[in-house]
Amino acid sequence: MEHAQLQRITDLGDPALDDYLRMTDVRLRSRVEVERGLFMAESYEVISRAVDAGMEPRSFLMSEKWKDKFAPLYEQFPDVPVYVGEGDLIEQFTGFHLHRGALASMQRPVLPEVAEVLRTARTVAVIEDIVDHTNVGALFRSAAALGVDAVLVTPQCADPLYRRSIRVSMGTVFQVPWTRLEAWPREGVDLLHDAGFDVLALALTDGAVALEHLDLGPDRKVAFVLGAEGHGLKPATLAAVDQHVVIPMAGGVDSLNVAAASAVVFWQRRAALIASGAPAG
């Protein structure tokens, strides 16, 4: 028997489909999704991780051929509509081919307070003004894989709950505790200091300590600050933090992509904890 709320798409002007309109317009979606209190999850694995994390779906959208595969997900929510249509019809109003099977419009969660996110954390990442959604998603995936306890994003940072960020993170944005800072850098650094963290900035500056010479053992709570693409961290941030850290490079390369750099420093912290016998996330 088909799901009671399964509805076949016949009218692209139906207001019930508004959550899914013009999905490829990044500026529009970034504004609309926040204003309407929603975010988009794409693919079986990502939607499943969102549901497992307690996210609440508003509706599902999928092509006809995928409705049976996704039934175990949407059947958990008998009162949530499931919109089904042919692939070319869906592409007309979303703007892209739904090759991962389905989208789910999810209710955006209320972000926790910074103090709550930091309460039990010992390794934190701060991402400053990173505007590329792919880099944000990749950074969250590294954080989840390498034992980072929490992520803080600055006021101008791209939305971790934007569809591309979620997709690149493989849904790990739902498992790593995170929240957005209201002010940065001075206020945010002060909050980290008050919680007992040493704040370490990844930066190519004179006097920066090479990563392998840094004490990252279990006696130290650390917050790694990673900067925006191109120009790096703000001068005010570099002045406010406790220490500058650099990843030594070979081959005439001066730096890594911010997502790649995050994986290196997270791994170094994890390796130091494992070597000491301390829990490593």
Side-chain angles (χ1 to χ4, degrees):
M1 185 176 71
E2 283 196 335
H3 185 273
Q5 293 298 314
L6 196 146
Q7 302 176 27
R8 280 174 174 75
I9 299 169
T10 57
D11 179 9
L12 298 184
D14 187 342
L17 298 173
D18 282 355
D19 283 2
Y20 302 98
L21 285 175
R22 295 173 62 187
M23 294 291 299
T24 55
D25 189 328
V26 176
R27 289 187 178 181
L28 174 70
R29 298 305 306 183
S30 297
R31 174 178 58 80
V32 167
E33 290 182 14
V34 172
E35 288 177 354
R36 298 187 65 181
L38 64 95
F39 68 89
M40 289 292 167
E42 180 184 1
S43 83
Y44 192 96
E45 181 175 1
V46 169
I47 296 172
S48 180
R49 284 189 172 178
V51 168
D52 289 346
M55 302 294 110
E56 299 180 9
R58 296 157 57 103
S59 65
F60 296 87
L61 172 69
M62 65 196 66
S63 54
E64 185 77 31
K65 67 179 182 179
W66 293 105
K67 63 183 177 64
D68 292 338
K69 177 182 177 179
F70 281 80
L73 289 178
Y74 62 70
E75 285 177 350
Q76 299 177 52
F77 305 96
D79 297 325
V80 173
V82 181
Y83 301 110
V84 176
E86 295 302 328
D88 58 349
L89 186 64
I90 291 174
E91 189 171 351
Q92 283 184 45
F93 69 94
T94 62
F96 75 102
H97 179 60
L98 199 58
H99 62 280
R100 290 178 176 83
L103 287 166
S105 173
M106 314 288 286
Q107 197 68 41
R108 185 173 286 264
V110 176
L111 292 179
E113 297 292 330
V114 174
E116 180 183 346
V117 169
L118 297 180
R119 184 170 54 83
T120 60
R122 297 194 63 80
T123 306
V124 170
V126 181
I127 51 179
E128 179 186 276
D129 299 358
I130 296 177
V131 297
D132 186 281
H133 292 98
T134 297
N135 282 337
V136 171
L139 195 147
F140 266 89
R141 190 171 181 180
S142 294
L146 297 169
V148 172
D149 301 311
V151 175
L152 302 178
V153 300
T154 62
Q156 302 304 315
C157 186
D159 183 11
L161 292 181
Y162 186 71
R163 178 173 58 90
R164 189 178 300 133
S165 298
I166 296 172
R167 185 178 73 232
V168 172
S169 82
M170 294 298 291
T172 54
V173 67
F174 304 122
Q175 68 188 66
V176 180
W178 71 276
T179 197
R180 189 175 291 275
L181 293 159
E182 292 185 1
W184 178 264
R186 183 71 267 168
E187 297 86 342
V189 171
D190 286 346
L191 286 172
L192 286 161
H193 284 161
D194 290 345
F197 284 86
D198 291 334
V199 185
L200 313 178
L202 272 290
L204 296 170
T205 58
D206 294 338
V209 178
L211 181 62
E212 67 266 33
H213 298 148
L214 196 64
D215 174 15
L216 293 175
D219 294 332
R220 194 179 194 190
K221 294 168 71 173
V222 295
F224 297 107
V225 186
L226 297 118
E229 304 85 350
H231 55 74
L233 295 171
K234 300 174 181 178
T237 300
L238 295 175
V241 300
D242 301 303
Q243 200 168 19
H244 299 175
V245 180
V246 65
I247 301 171
M249 299 285 158
V253 178
D254 64 354
S255 64
L256 295 173
N257 165 275
V258 66
S262 74
V264 173
V265 296
F266 299 162
W267 182 89
Q268 190 81 358
R269 166 66 162 179
R270 179 175 171 80
L273 295 176
I274 291 173
S276 71

